[in-house]
């Protein structure tokens, strides 16, 4: 692998080829990326002990804690459908204690979902919610939520980001006013006994993204609101999707038009209310993802681009929904000796390397659709330029890149995220900096010297260039 990298970096640009010039301006840094931008999202059921009484989120789970540190995970959302499912027990104090002991050692802030719906959750059909197909709604006891919130706030406030009341309430509340009334009933009960409690919401599906704008407009200015939360699955449902079509959607420039439309549906209202926003449940495709897409190199390329796109559009962070078992879109899954890191996990690590500091403009000299560039003036003073080559398949070609750093460069290094044979369907064999992430969370990737700011970027890859 290292020989391959050496040959790649030593390759001269094609004779007569017109390089893609990326111009960055480190003299005019923009907004700072939130330090807790990178996050994961888990079902509430993951807090419950297994049949042997062991906890997944436990200070004894050292490989998981190490992996959180390695990937740069700083936010942990607990929620999902099981937060409102009667057949799933509400976590008790022992479950909560184990979670927050883990959060302390993993150095993460927790977004904790309190139950809103006591009705039995039915299977959700793919696609937008339809009128008349709502689930049964039986309001949960606000006193029980208040007891849980007070227990968490009093003992673990240092590792708490906010409380969420209900998960995807548009599945069971007929409209936003009905949801708001039930939300306020519980939030007001908690605020009366826990005055410093902070909340976020509405955590609705993409089909009801307007609820996030309504939430911002109607309650967003209240001091107890930490931020507005929203769910997003970039390419729709993974349950019925066509695999090649889903892959194409994720890596097509057209997906950015979908991001822009989604952004326009609620973020202007958030900003007008003086609030922040976070996609506290998101991923490539819903319903666990799609084979050879959500669990493949395609998701790594998409994930890097997705994180930087939302960071450059003011998001406070993203929490990728994941799970310890059998979810194709998981950042990692439990293995025999630790955790098997999936391609999305490599995207998180790439962002951890290049996504801490202030955003810097990165302008391409071409309207090419197959490459995206982002730049960050790092907290360490270095300039990080991230390039995503979305070309793949038999007709894909390497791209000739030329960087214009706008200042004198004394040292240049590069790190590549690649898979064997540039295979967009690869689920294993990915490397970042020439090394894979081990099942115990260890990673020993390294920078390679870059002798020139003109270099070749292979198909289906991510390059991180570090400039001093």
């Amino acid at each position: 692998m290292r020989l391959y990298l050496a040959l790649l970096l030593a390759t001269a640009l094609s004779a007569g080829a017109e390089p893609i010039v990326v111009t960055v301006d480190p003299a005019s840094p923009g907004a700072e990326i939130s330090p807790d931008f990178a996050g994961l999202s888990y079902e509430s059921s993951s807090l419950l002990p297994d049949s042997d009484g062991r906890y997944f989120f436990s200070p004894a789970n050292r490989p998981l804690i190490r992996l959180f540190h390695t990937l740069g995970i700083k936010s942990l959302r607990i929620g999902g459908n099981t937060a409102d499912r009667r057949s799933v027990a509400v976590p008790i104090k022992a479950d909560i204690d184990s979670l927050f002991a883990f959060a302390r050692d993993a150095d993460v802030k927790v977004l904790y979902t309190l139950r809103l719906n006591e009705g039995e959750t039915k299977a959700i059909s793919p696609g937008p919610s339809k009128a008349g197909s709502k689930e049964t709604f039986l309001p949960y006891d606000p006193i029980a939520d208040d007891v849980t919130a007070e227990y968490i706030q009093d003992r673990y406030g240092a590792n708490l980001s906010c409380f969420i009341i209900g998960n995807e309430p548009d599945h069971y509340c007929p409209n936003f006013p009905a949801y708001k009334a039930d939300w306020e009933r519980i939030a007001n009960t908690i605020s009366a006994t826990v005055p410093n409690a902070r909340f976020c919401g509405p955590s609705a599906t993409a089909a009801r993204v307007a609820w996030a704008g309504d939430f911002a407009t109607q309650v967003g200015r209240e001091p107890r609101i930490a931020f507005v939360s929203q769910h997003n699955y970039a390419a729709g449902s993974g349950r019925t999707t066509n695999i090649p079509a889903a892959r194409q959607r994720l890596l097509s420039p057209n997906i950015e038009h979908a991001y822009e439309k989604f952004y326009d549906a609620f973020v202007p209202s958030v900003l007008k209310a003086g609030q922040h926003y976070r996609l506290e449940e998101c991923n490539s495709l819903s319903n666990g993802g799609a084979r050879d897409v959500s669990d493949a190199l395609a998701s790594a390329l998409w994930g890097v681009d997705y994180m930087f796109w939302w960071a450059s559009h003011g998001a406070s962070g993203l929490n990728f929904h994941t799970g310890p078992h059998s979810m194709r879109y998981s950042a990692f899954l439990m293995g025999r000796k630790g955790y098997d890191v999936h391609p999305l996990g490599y995207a998180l690590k790439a962002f951890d390397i290049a996504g801490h500091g202030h955003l810097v403009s990165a302008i391409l000299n071409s309207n090419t659709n197959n490459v995206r560039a982002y730049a960050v003036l790092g907290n360490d003073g270095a300039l990080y330029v991230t390039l995503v080559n979305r070309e793949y398949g038999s007709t894909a070609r390497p791209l000739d890149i030329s960087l214009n750093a706008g200042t004198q460069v004394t040292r240049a290094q590069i790190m590549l995220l690649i898979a064997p044979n540039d295979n967009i369907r690869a689920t294993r064999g990915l490397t970042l900096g020439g090394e894979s992430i081990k099942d115990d969370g260890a990673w020993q990737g390294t920078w390679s010297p870059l002798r020139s700011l003109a270099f070749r970027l292979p198909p289906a890859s991510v390059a991180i260039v570090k400039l001093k």
Side-chain angles (χ1 to χ4, degrees):
M1 183 59 69
R2 293 194 182 279
L3 176 60
Y4 169 74
L5 293 174
L7 292 173
L8 171 71
L9 298 177
T11 302
L13 299 185
S14 303
E18 182 69 22
I20 296 173
V21 179
V22 183
T23 301
V24 296
D25 184 14
S28 302
E32 183 180 12
I33 298 174
S34 175
D36 66 345
F37 188 90
L40 293 177
S41 166
Y42 280 85
E43 293 286 329
S44 291
S45 57
S46 65
L47 268 60
L48 306 177
D50 64 17
S51 58
D52 295 323
R54 294 173 299 190
Y55 287 106
F56 177 67
F57 292 116
S58 164
N61 194 345
R62 305 315 295 180
L64 183 60
I65 291 170
R66 184 176 187 181
L67 188 55
F68 266 55
H69 287 304
T70 295
L71 300 185
I73 304 302
K74 291 298 181 181
S75 174
L76 175 59
R77 177 258 189 170
I78 301 298
N81 290 330
T82 55
D84 278 331
R85 186 171 294 167
R86 179 187 291 180
S87 59
V88 176
V90 175
I92 61 175
K93 292 178 179 179
D95 309 330
I96 293 169
D97 291 341
S98 186
L99 167 67
F100 280 95
F102 171 89
R104 177 199 62 215
D105 289 0
D107 191 25
V108 296
K109 291 290 185 71
V110 175
L111 289 69
Y112 193 92
T113 302
L114 300 167
R115 186 162 291 191
L116 175 61
N117 181 19
E118 180 65 357
E120 185 57 58
T121 302
K122 301 176 183 177
I124 306 300
S125 60
S129 299
K130 298 180 180 179
S133 64
K134 301 296 181 184
E135 303 162 37
T136 301
F137 176 57
L138 298 173
Y140 189 63
D141 180 7
I143 301 302
D145 276 343
D146 179 44
V147 170
T148 298
E150 185 176 15
Y151 184 82
I152 292 174
Q153 186 70 54
D154 286 351
R155 290 162 177 78
Y156 305 116
N159 281 102
L160 178 67
S161 178
C162 65
F163 292 111
I164 305 167
I165 300 175
N167 175 74
E168 298 183 348
D170 53 306
H171 277 315
Y172 46 80
C173 291
N175 50 48
F176 181 79
Y179 158 73
K180 181 190 173 189
D182 286 307
W183 182 89
E184 288 183 326
R185 181 173 50 84
I186 293 178
N188 291 344
T189 300
I190 294 171
S191 294
T193 55
V194 191
N196 57 339
R198 304 195 75 200
F199 304 91
C200 53
S203 302
T205 67
R208 297 292 183 270
V209 63
W211 285 26
D214 293 338
F215 189 88
T217 299
Q218 298 185 33
V219 301
R221 294 186 183 276
E222 296 180 12
R224 64 181 176 176
I225 303 302
F227 51 83
V228 175
S229 55
Q230 174 61 44
H231 295 184
N232 177 249
Y233 286 87
S237 173
R239 183 175 292 165
T240 59
T241 191
N242 174 277
I243 301 302
R247 190 181 301 124
Q248 185 178 24
R249 282 200 305 274
L250 281 184
L251 300 180
S252 166
N254 292 331
I255 199 169
E256 291 163 12
H257 300 314
Y259 298 163
E260 291 164 1
K261 183 178 179 180
F262 193 74
Y263 175 98
D264 290 342
F266 79 103
V267 176
S269 296
V270 173
L271 300 180
K272 187 176 180 180
Q275 262 299 348
H276 305 283
Y277 73 97
R278 187 179 190 97
L279 303 184
E280 44 79 54
E281 180 181 319
C282 62
N283 215 302
S284 55
L285 295 105
S286 63
N287 302 115
R291 175 179 55 83
D292 293 338
V293 183
S294 303
D295 57 355
L297 175 63
S299 69
L301 305 184
W302 163 80
V304 173
D305 186 54
Y306 188 71
M307 283 186 276
F308 274 109
W309 194 95
W310 283 104
S312 65
H313 286 74
S316 294
L318 308 179
N319 293 77
F320 291 97
H321 202 50
T322 190
H325 306 288
S326 70
M327 296 294 189
R328 294 192 184 278
Y329 57 32
S330 292
F332 49 83
L333 292 176
M334 293 182 68
R336 289 178 295 178
K337 296 182 179 180
Y339 295 89
D340 179 20
V341 178
H342 280 203
L344 182 60
Y346 284 82
L348 285 160
K349 182 58 186 175
F351 187 86
D352 179 52
I353 294 168
H356 294 285
H358 291 262
L359 290 158
V360 169
S361 67
I363 301 173
L364 301 172
N365 71 327
S366 165
N367 289 325
T368 178
N369 290 328
N370 50 22
V371 64
R372 285 294 174 264
Y374 302 93
V376 173
L377 184 60
N379 295 329
D380 59 358
L383 179 65
Y384 294 86
V385 182
T386 301
L387 299 127
V388 184
N389 185 354
R390 301 188 292 199
E391 282 207 2
Y392 67 93
S394 59
T395 61
R397 68 190 193 283
L399 299 176
D400 293 335
I401 305 293
S402 178
L403 291 182
N404 178 4
T407 187
Q408 183 179 359
V409 175
T410 58
R411 188 182 186 190
Q413 297 171 292
I414 192 169
M415 186 176 289
L416 292 177
L417 169 54
I418 55 176
N421 303 315
D422 309 321
N423 182 6
I424 201 72
R425 295 176 295 176
T427 59
R428 297 184 177 275
L430 276 69
T431 59
L432 178 61
E435 292 290 337
S436 297
I437 303 173
K438 309 302 182 186
D439 55 10
D440 64 351
W443 175 72
Q444 296 180 330
T446 58
W447 295 96
S448 297
L450 193 59
R451 293 189 291 273
S452 169
L453 295 187
F455 59 94
R456 180 155 294 160
L457 181 63
S461 71
V462 175
I464 305 170
V465 179
K466 180 180 179 181
L467 304 175
K468 287 284 189 178

